[in-house]
Amino acid sequence: MKYVKAAWDDEFHGFFTDATAYLAALPELEEALPPGARAFARDGDHYRRNAARCVKDLELADIRIATDKSGTLTLDFAPNEFKHEAGLRIAYTGVVHFAIAYDHGIDWMRSDAVLLDEILPADDGGCLHEIALTDATITVHARDLQAIWGEPPGTAENG
């Protein structure tokens, strides 16, 4: 990530995360972001650690890639039981690149949790979304995205 810091800190035996530089740069970046990406990045709770709609600590629950060449991708994140009231679905349109790189360095967590993310404008008018997880990094280059807070399928009791 260019502005956001999210990495393991050996000294403190935990993750260090800091979105300060990104939040400072966001006013200059936001006009070049597509509407959905801009709204998600500007959400006042997005980086507020104790907020119910903060992305930190959400757990990766599902990845759905379209096989019909439509360029759609959906990422579902389950709520952290100690922090979130609901999960998050991010629906991407016009996807031209998707990658997930696993580090396989942390084996004591049952699922990958979000450390922080960063959304930057792409040269083609779309957006670049990078999500740092506890044991992986997701990168998506898309025309736009829509962030939908609610209970992703399969996470509700009757889901």
Side-chain angles (χ1 to χ4, degrees), residues 40 58 62 64 73-78 86-92 145-155:
F40 185 45
L58 287 166
D62 192 31
R64 286 186 308 289
L73 167 70
T74 303
L75 302 177
D76 283 335
F77 296 90
L88 172 67
R89 170 172 288 156
I90 304 175
Y92 299 89
L145 64 84
Q146 182 180 17
I148 306 150
W149 285 93
E151 205 65 36
T155 58

Short mmCIF file of all heavy atoms in Angstrom, two decimals, residues 40 58 62 64 73-78 86-92 145-155:
data_model
loop_
_atom_site.label_atom_id
_atom_site.label_comp_id
_atom_site.label_asym_id
_atom_site.label_seq_id
_atom_site.Cartn_x
_atom_site.Cartn_y
_atom_site.Cartn_z
N PHE A 40 -17.15 4.85 -0.24
CA PHE A 40 -16.62 3.89 0.72
C PHE A 40 -15.38 4.45 1.43
O PHE A 40 -15.25 4.38 2.65
CB PHE A 40 -16.30 2.58 0.01
CG PHE A 40 -15.85 1.46 0.91
CD1 PHE A 40 -16.50 1.17 2.10
CD2 PHE A 40 -14.79 0.66 0.54
CE1 PHE A 40 -16.09 0.12 2.92
CE2 PHE A 40 -14.37 -0.39 1.34
CZ PHE A 40 -15.02 -0.65 2.53
N LEU A 58 -12.78 -7.20 10.32
CA LEU A 58 -13.74 -8.02 9.58
C LEU A 58 -13.01 -9.29 9.13
O LEU A 58 -11.80 -9.27 8.92
CB LEU A 58 -14.25 -7.27 8.34
CG LEU A 58 -15.21 -6.13 8.59
CD1 LEU A 58 -15.36 -5.29 7.32
CD2 LEU A 58 -16.57 -6.64 9.04
N ASP A 62 -15.91 -15.05 2.00
CA ASP A 62 -16.21 -15.64 0.70
C ASP A 62 -15.67 -14.75 -0.42
O ASP A 62 -15.67 -13.52 -0.29
CB ASP A 62 -17.73 -15.80 0.54
CG ASP A 62 -18.11 -16.67 -0.64
OD1 ASP A 62 -17.36 -17.59 -1.00
OD2 ASP A 62 -19.19 -16.42 -1.22
N ARG A 64 -16.24 -14.51 -4.65
CA ARG A 64 -16.96 -15.01 -5.82
C ARG A 64 -16.51 -14.25 -7.06
O ARG A 64 -16.69 -13.04 -7.15
CB ARG A 64 -18.47 -14.89 -5.63
CG ARG A 64 -19.00 -15.95 -4.67
CD ARG A 64 -20.50 -15.96 -4.56
NE ARG A 64 -21.14 -14.69 -4.27
CZ ARG A 64 -21.08 -14.04 -3.11
NH1 ARG A 64 -20.39 -14.52 -2.12
NH2 ARG A 64 -21.73 -12.91 -2.94
N LEU A 73 -16.85 -9.21 -9.35
CA LEU A 73 -16.18 -9.89 -8.25
C LEU A 73 -16.88 -9.46 -6.98
O LEU A 73 -17.24 -8.29 -6.83
CB LEU A 73 -14.70 -9.47 -8.19
CG LEU A 73 -13.90 -9.84 -6.95
CD1 LEU A 73 -13.66 -11.34 -6.87
CD2 LEU A 73 -12.57 -9.09 -6.93
N THR A 74 -17.10 -10.41 -6.08
CA THR A 74 -17.73 -10.09 -4.80
C THR A 74 -16.88 -10.66 -3.68
O THR A 74 -16.50 -11.83 -3.71
CB THR A 74 -19.16 -10.68 -4.71
OG1 THR A 74 -19.92 -10.18 -5.80
CG2 THR A 74 -19.83 -10.27 -3.41
N LEU A 75 -16.58 -9.82 -2.71
CA LEU A 75 -15.88 -10.24 -1.50
C LEU A 75 -16.84 -10.06 -0.33
O LEU A 75 -17.42 -8.98 -0.17
CB LEU A 75 -14.63 -9.39 -1.25
CG LEU A 75 -13.57 -9.36 -2.34
CD1 LEU A 75 -12.44 -8.42 -1.93
CD2 LEU A 75 -13.04 -10.75 -2.63
N ASP A 76 -17.02 -11.11 0.45
CA ASP A 76 -17.85 -11.02 1.65
C ASP A 76 -16.96 -11.12 2.88
O ASP A 76 -16.06 -11.97 2.95
CB ASP A 76 -18.88 -12.16 1.70
CG ASP A 76 -20.05 -11.93 0.78
OD1 ASP A 76 -20.34 -10.77 0.47
OD2 ASP A 76 -20.70 -12.92 0.37
N PHE A 77 -17.23 -10.25 3.83
CA PHE A 77 -16.51 -10.23 5.09
C PHE A 77 -17.50 -10.40 6.22
O PHE A 77 -18.49 -9.68 6.30
CB PHE A 77 -15.76 -8.90 5.25
CG PHE A 77 -14.69 -8.70 4.23
CD1 PHE A 77 -14.97 -8.05 3.02
CD2 PHE A 77 -13.40 -9.16 4.45
CE1 PHE A 77 -13.99 -7.88 2.06
CE2 PHE A 77 -12.41 -8.99 3.49
CZ PHE A 77 -12.71 -8.35 2.30
N ALA A 78 -17.25 -11.36 7.09
CA ALA A 78 -18.11 -11.61 8.24
C ALA A 78 -17.75 -10.64 9.36
O ALA A 78 -16.59 -10.21 9.48
CB ALA A 78 -17.93 -13.05 8.72
N ALA A 86 -22.68 -6.08 11.81
CA ALA A 86 -23.00 -6.74 10.54
C ALA A 86 -21.72 -6.91 9.73
O ALA A 86 -20.70 -6.28 10.00
CB ALA A 86 -24.00 -5.90 9.76
N GLY A 87 -21.82 -7.76 8.72
CA GLY A 87 -20.70 -7.99 7.82
C GLY A 87 -20.70 -6.98 6.69
O GLY A 87 -21.54 -6.08 6.62
N LEU A 88 -19.75 -7.15 5.78
CA LEU A 88 -19.59 -6.24 4.66
C LEU A 88 -19.46 -7.04 3.37
O LEU A 88 -18.72 -8.02 3.32
CB LEU A 88 -18.33 -5.38 4.85
CG LEU A 88 -17.89 -4.51 3.68
CD1 LEU A 88 -18.90 -3.39 3.42
CD2 LEU A 88 -16.50 -3.92 3.96
N ARG A 89 -20.17 -6.62 2.35
CA ARG A 89 -20.00 -7.16 1.00
C ARG A 89 -19.45 -6.04 0.14
O ARG A 89 -19.97 -4.93 0.13
CB ARG A 89 -21.33 -7.64 0.44
CG ARG A 89 -21.23 -7.99 -1.06
CD ARG A 89 -22.47 -8.65 -1.57
NE ARG A 89 -22.48 -9.99 -1.01
CZ ARG A 89 -23.59 -10.71 -0.84
NH1 ARG A 89 -24.75 -10.22 -1.17
NH2 ARG A 89 -23.51 -11.92 -0.32
N ILE A 90 -18.38 -6.35 -0.60
CA ILE A 90 -17.85 -5.40 -1.57
C ILE A 90 -18.06 -6.03 -2.94
O ILE A 90 -17.54 -7.10 -3.23
CB ILE A 90 -16.35 -5.10 -1.33
CG1 ILE A 90 -16.13 -4.59 0.09
CG2 ILE A 90 -15.87 -4.06 -2.36
CD1 ILE A 90 -14.67 -4.36 0.45
N ALA A 91 -18.86 -5.35 -3.76
CA ALA A 91 -19.17 -5.82 -5.11
C ALA A 91 -18.43 -4.93 -6.10
O ALA A 91 -18.65 -3.71 -6.14
CB ALA A 91 -20.68 -5.76 -5.36
N TYR A 92 -17.56 -5.54 -6.88
CA TYR A 92 -16.76 -4.81 -7.87
C TYR A 92 -17.34 -4.99 -9.26
O TYR A 92 -17.84 -6.07 -9.60
CB TYR A 92 -15.32 -5.35 -7.89
CG TYR A 92 -14.58 -5.21 -6.58
CD1 TYR A 92 -14.64 -6.22 -5.63
CD2 TYR A 92 -13.80 -4.09 -6.31
CE1 TYR A 92 -13.95 -6.11 -4.44
CE2 TYR A 92 -13.11 -3.98 -5.12
CZ TYR A 92 -13.19 -4.99 -4.18
OH TYR A 92 -12.50 -4.90 -3.00
N LEU A 145 -16.61 0.07 -7.25
CA LEU A 145 -17.02 -0.89 -6.24
C LEU A 145 -18.20 -0.33 -5.48
O LEU A 145 -18.44 0.88 -5.48
CB LEU A 145 -15.87 -1.23 -5.28
CG LEU A 145 -15.32 -0.11 -4.39
CD1 LEU A 145 -16.12 0.08 -3.11
CD2 LEU A 145 -13.87 -0.42 -4.04
N GLN A 146 -18.93 -1.23 -4.87
CA GLN A 146 -20.02 -0.83 -3.99
C GLN A 146 -19.85 -1.58 -2.69
O GLN A 146 -19.74 -2.81 -2.68
CB GLN A 146 -21.38 -1.14 -4.61
CG GLN A 146 -22.53 -0.69 -3.73
CD GLN A 146 -23.89 -0.99 -4.33
OE1 GLN A 146 -24.01 -1.80 -5.25
NE2 GLN A 146 -24.92 -0.36 -3.81
N ALA A 147 -19.81 -0.85 -1.58
CA ALA A 147 -19.69 -1.45 -0.25
C ALA A 147 -21.07 -1.51 0.37
O ALA A 147 -21.76 -0.49 0.47
CB ALA A 147 -18.75 -0.62 0.61
N ILE A 148 -21.49 -2.71 0.76
CA ILE A 148 -22.82 -2.92 1.30
C ILE A 148 -22.69 -3.55 2.68
O ILE A 148 -22.24 -4.69 2.81
CB ILE A 148 -23.65 -3.85 0.39
CG1 ILE A 148 -23.65 -3.31 -1.04
CG2 ILE A 148 -25.06 -4.03 0.92
CD1 ILE A 148 -23.76 -4.38 -2.09
N TRP A 149 -23.06 -2.79 3.70
CA TRP A 149 -23.01 -3.32 5.05
C TRP A 149 -24.30 -4.08 5.34
O TRP A 149 -25.38 -3.63 5.04
CB TRP A 149 -22.85 -2.19 6.08
CG TRP A 149 -21.46 -1.65 6.09
CD1 TRP A 149 -21.00 -0.58 5.38
CD2 TRP A 149 -20.36 -2.17 6.80
NE1 TRP A 149 -19.66 -0.40 5.62
CE2 TRP A 149 -19.23 -1.37 6.51
CE3 TRP A 149 -20.19 -3.24 7.68
CZ2 TRP A 149 -17.98 -1.60 7.05
CZ3 TRP A 149 -18.93 -3.47 8.23
CH2 TRP A 149 -17.85 -2.65 7.91
N GLY A 150 -24.17 -5.24 5.90
CA GLY A 150 -25.29 -6.11 6.23
C GLY A 150 -24.76 -7.50 6.49
O GLY A 150 -23.55 -7.73 6.50
N GLU A 151 -25.59 -8.43 6.68
CA GLU A 151 -25.20 -9.80 6.99
C GLU A 151 -24.94 -10.58 5.70
O GLU A 151 -25.87 -10.89 4.97
CB GLU A 151 -26.32 -10.47 7.79
CG GLU A 151 -25.88 -11.61 8.65
CD GLU A 151 -24.95 -11.20 9.79
OE1 GLU A 151 -25.11 -10.14 10.38
OE2 GLU A 151 -24.06 -12.00 10.07
N PRO A 152 -23.66 -10.88 5.35
CA PRO A 152 -23.40 -11.66 4.14
C PRO A 152 -24.04 -13.04 4.22
O PRO A 152 -24.20 -13.58 5.30
CB PRO A 152 -21.86 -11.80 4.11
CG PRO A 152 -21.37 -10.69 4.96
CD PRO A 152 -22.43 -10.46 6.00
N PRO A 153 -24.43 -13.63 3.07
CA PRO A 153 -25.03 -14.96 3.06
C PRO A 153 -24.13 -15.96 3.76
O PRO A 153 -22.91 -15.91 3.65
CB PRO A 153 -25.14 -15.29 1.57
CG PRO A 153 -25.09 -13.97 0.88
CD PRO A 153 -24.27 -13.06 1.75
N GLY A 154 -24.78 -16.86 4.50
CA GLY A 154 -24.03 -17.91 5.16
C GLY A 154 -23.54 -17.53 6.55
O GLY A 154 -23.04 -18.36 7.28
N THR A 155 -23.69 -16.26 6.94
CA THR A 155 -23.23 -15.86 8.27
C THR A 155 -24.38 -15.69 9.25
O THR A 155 -24.16 -15.66 10.45
CB THR A 155 -22.41 -14.54 8.22
OG1 THR A 155 -23.23 -13.53 7.67
CG2 THR A 155 -21.15 -14.71 7.42
#
